[in-house]
Amino acid sequence: MPLLAQSGKQRPKYMLLVDQLIQKVTAGEIRPGEALPSEHQLCNTYQLARTTVRNAMQLLEEQGWITRIHGKGSFVSTNPPLPVSKPLDIFAFVLPETRTGYYPSLQRSFEQAAALTQNQVLVCCTENKVDMQGNTILQLIDKNVAGVALVPATVPATPAYQIRQLQQHGIPVVFCHRQVEGVQAPLLSIPFHEVGLLAGQTLLKQGHRSVAMFSPHRATASIEYEAGLREALESHETPCPEPFIFHGPSAQLHPIDYEQDLLATLEDMFQRPDPPTAIFATFDSLAELIYLLLGKLGLRVPEDVSLIGFGGTVRHGAIQSRLSSITVDEIAIGQKAAELLTLMKQGTLPIDTAEVFPMPINASIGQTLAPPPQQ
């Protein structure tokens, strides 16, 4: 890319190159101690003659911006003439939801862990929309945050280039719950398949054979939930009926947004000759709404139908505190995410490490689970 003068006066080309490189150093794009591109690379990048580049490098050395080492190249001075921009001591937590489910507890634990290393936290909600997530990432790059913990958006699936932009600017990323295909970064994974498997096994132990599964929308996680549930049912010694599967509309994030579709589906399901005796909802907020809608249909939980959800270990709210669920320790996820970002920020852990940290799950038996009613 050719250099452009920043004012009406025509400056020598070597001075324009000097200005450009100083700007990159003060903005933190090239850090103290890091190598500058070679003279050959600078000639090709800025379409300059070798003599012009050498004049620029000589002036930068005289002004104290760089140190030239014969046979090795040119390096940014560890004590440049002007202050160099440093990343803000702020970690960003990018979430698809901040109001319901385990996200509030996840956010609090992340903030508490980040505070131990003197990092403030900026929380960003994407409403699970990938375009909103992309805009958020650009703003975080502009603010030069110290690291980003991210629960990737799924509507549609997060593209790799969004995350690569962060890493290319030296901003470490930790994935929570699910990763993004084509990006190497630490992952604190929820074993979605095992969640569905444990939900199915828990229902089977209560004597249920006919089961329904409800998920907010069809995505990688819901497909894994379903596969795990089917594995549990198929492993039973006697054949189980085909599970009833419902996936909400992908354009809607909150169950309340498609309440009428959900009510109509439940009504139709329980008008069948052999309706399910238990429901597995893949998110606690969805399970709570199903609990209320079942009451609207005149069905008692768990006397007429059992209900099991999936959420965090912190159980708040009038319904969630009573709800049986498969749980994941969201507090441990928040703490681990802050710990990994701190290690990458310090240079102890490579920014492109692809290590996976599976999060353990458990079954929390509440008041919405019982044996199936007598036929």
Side-chain angles (χ1 to χ4, degrees):
M1 57 180 179
L3 292 169
L4 297 176
Q6 296 180 352
S7 67
K9 296 180 180 181
Q10 184 65 37
R11 302 187 70 196
K13 289 185 177 180
Y14 80 93
M15 286 299 299
L16 293 176
L17 179 57
V18 167
D19 294 342
Q20 182 84 352
L21 294 176
I22 288 177
Q23 182 180 358
K24 286 182 176 293
V25 172
T26 55
E29 295 181 34
I30 310 176
R31 303 211 173 272
E34 289 186 358
L36 288 173
S38 67
E39 289 184 0
H40 179 71
Q41 290 173 319
L42 291 171
C43 289
N44 289 339
T45 300
Y46 296 105
Q47 301 177 19
L48 297 172
R50 179 64 66 90
T51 303
T52 302
V53 171
R54 285 178 177 171
N55 288 338
M57 303 306 282
Q58 181 179 346
L59 181 57
L60 286 168
E61 185 178 29
E62 291 173 355
Q63 293 179 346
W65 286 101
I66 67 170
T67 300
R68 291 197 285 181
I69 302 175
H70 182 70
K72 292 187 177 180
S74 299
F75 299 83
V76 178
S77 173
T78 55
N79 187 25
L82 295 176
V84 175
S85 174
K86 296 180 180 179
L88 296 175
D89 287 331
I90 293 178
F91 287 155
F93 206 176
V94 183
L95 301 166
E97 164 70 277
T98 57
R99 294 177 294 172
T100 61
Y102 42 63
Y103 291 120
S105 299
L106 180 63
Q107 175 185 330
R108 282 195 299 273
S109 63
F110 182 81
E111 290 173 336
Q112 291 167 357
L116 296 176
T117 54
Q118 308 303 311
N119 284 281
Q120 296 180 329
V121 173
L122 178 65
V123 178
C124 309
C125 180
T126 66
E127 296 184 7
N128 205 31
K129 297 175 181 177
V130 74
D131 55 346
M132 187 178 296
Q133 177 179 270
N135 290 333
T136 298
I137 286 173
L138 290 177
Q139 293 177 48
L140 296 177
I141 291 172
D142 183 62
K143 293 181 181 297
N144 201 17
V145 296
V148 176
L150 172 74
V151 180
T154 60
V155 183
T158 294
Y161 72 82
Q162 282 193 355
I163 314 306
R164 290 199 191 111
Q165 290 181 87
L166 290 164
Q167 293 181 327
Q168 287 168 359
H169 283 80
I171 299 174
V173 177
V174 171
F175 291 133
C176 299
H177 303 179
R178 49 185 173 263
Q179 62 186 0
V180 173
E181 191 72 27
V183 178
Q184 290 200 158
L187 168 64
L188 306 176
S189 72
I190 292 179
F192 300 115
H193 183 277
E194 284 69 22
V195 170
L197 180 64
L198 183 55
Q201 292 170 341
T202 303
L203 293 174
L204 286 171
K205 286 180 183 178
Q206 290 288 333
H208 295 278
R209 302 291 178 268
S210 181
V211 176
M213 188 192 98
F214 284 71
S215 71
H217 66 275
R218 189 171 183 83
T220 302
S222 57
I223 293 171
E224 290 295 314
Y225 290 135
E226 181 181 339
L229 178 65
R230 289 182 180 275
E231 180 180 329
L233 297 178
E234 291 167 2
S235 68
H236 196 260
E237 56 189 13
T238 57
C240 295
E242 174 72 11
F244 181 91
I245 307 296
F246 171 85
H247 295 292
S250 61
Q252 304 296 332
L253 177 63
H254 304 292
I256 197 72
D257 294 332
Y258 52 93
E259 179 179 348
Q260 293 306 313
D261 288 342
L262 198 56
L263 178 61
T265 301
L266 289 168
E267 193 170 22
D268 176 71
M269 187 175 73
F270 283 102
Q271 286 178 349
R272 299 183 179 191
D274 296 307
T277 60
I279 296 174
F280 165 46
T282 63
F283 206 57
D284 274 351
S285 58
L286 176 58
E288 290 177 309
L289 180 57
I290 289 174
Y291 179 94
L292 295 174
L293 294 179
L294 289 173
K296 192 172 184 178
L297 294 175
L299 295 167
R300 300 168 300 166
V301 179
E303 292 83 358
D304 299 321
V305 57
S306 286
L307 180 62
I308 188 168
F310 170 60
T313 55
V314 178
R315 317 296 293 169
H316 292 308
I319 299 178
Q320 189 189 44
S321 61
R322 294 168 170 78
L323 188 65
S324 297
S325 282
I326 307 302
T327 60
V328 64
D329 191 344
E330 74 280 29
I331 295 177
I333 293 175
Q335 292 172 341
K336 188 66 175 179
E339 174 191 330
L340 291 172
L341 286 178
T342 300
L343 292 175
M344 288 191 285
K345 171 188 168 186
Q346 295 171 344
T348 307
L349 184 69
I351 195 172
D352 60 349
T353 184
E355 191 170 356
V356 177
F357 302 86
M359 295 290 106
I361 58 172
N362 290 287
S364 173
I365 306 303
Q367 301 174 23
T368 61
L369 190 61
Q374 294 296 323
Q375 299 299 322

